[in-house]
Amino acid sequence: MIEPVVDKESHGRALRRIEELWDAEPGSPEAQELDALATLVDAYERKQLPIAPPDPIAAIEARCEQLGWTRK
């Protein structure tokens, strides 16, 4: 049964169920349950665990480091 994801406990249960359903056959009832749970978890995480945009300078420095660029 699909239940709302409203706190840490229900979030954990939903994630465990998603793991169980991960290889569900497309179009099956299990795949539909997986899609519904993923949507609920996504909504909960966006609300409870927002990701702030990076500082512009830090983003540039991180990208330069990824590319192996130095100040030279």
Side-chain angles (χ1 to χ4, degrees), residues 5-65:
V5 179
V6 295
D7 55 24
K8 288 182 180 182
E9 291 79 25
S10 59
H11 180 251
R13 284 192 302 272
L15 290 176
R16 286 189 295 278
R17 183 65 178 148
I18 285 171
E19 279 188 42
E20 293 171 7
L21 298 169
W22 193 252
D23 293 322
E25 186 69 32
S28 68
E30 291 81 11
Q32 292 175 352
E33 181 183 357
L34 173 61
D35 185 50
L37 285 172
T39 301
L40 291 171
V41 166
D42 180 57
Y44 173 81
E45 289 178 350
R46 286 179 188 268
K47 184 176 179 184
Q48 297 298 321
L49 309 165
I51 299 174
D55 171 67
I57 301 301
I60 293 169
E61 289 173 345
R63 182 64 177 144
C64 288
E65 184 179 325

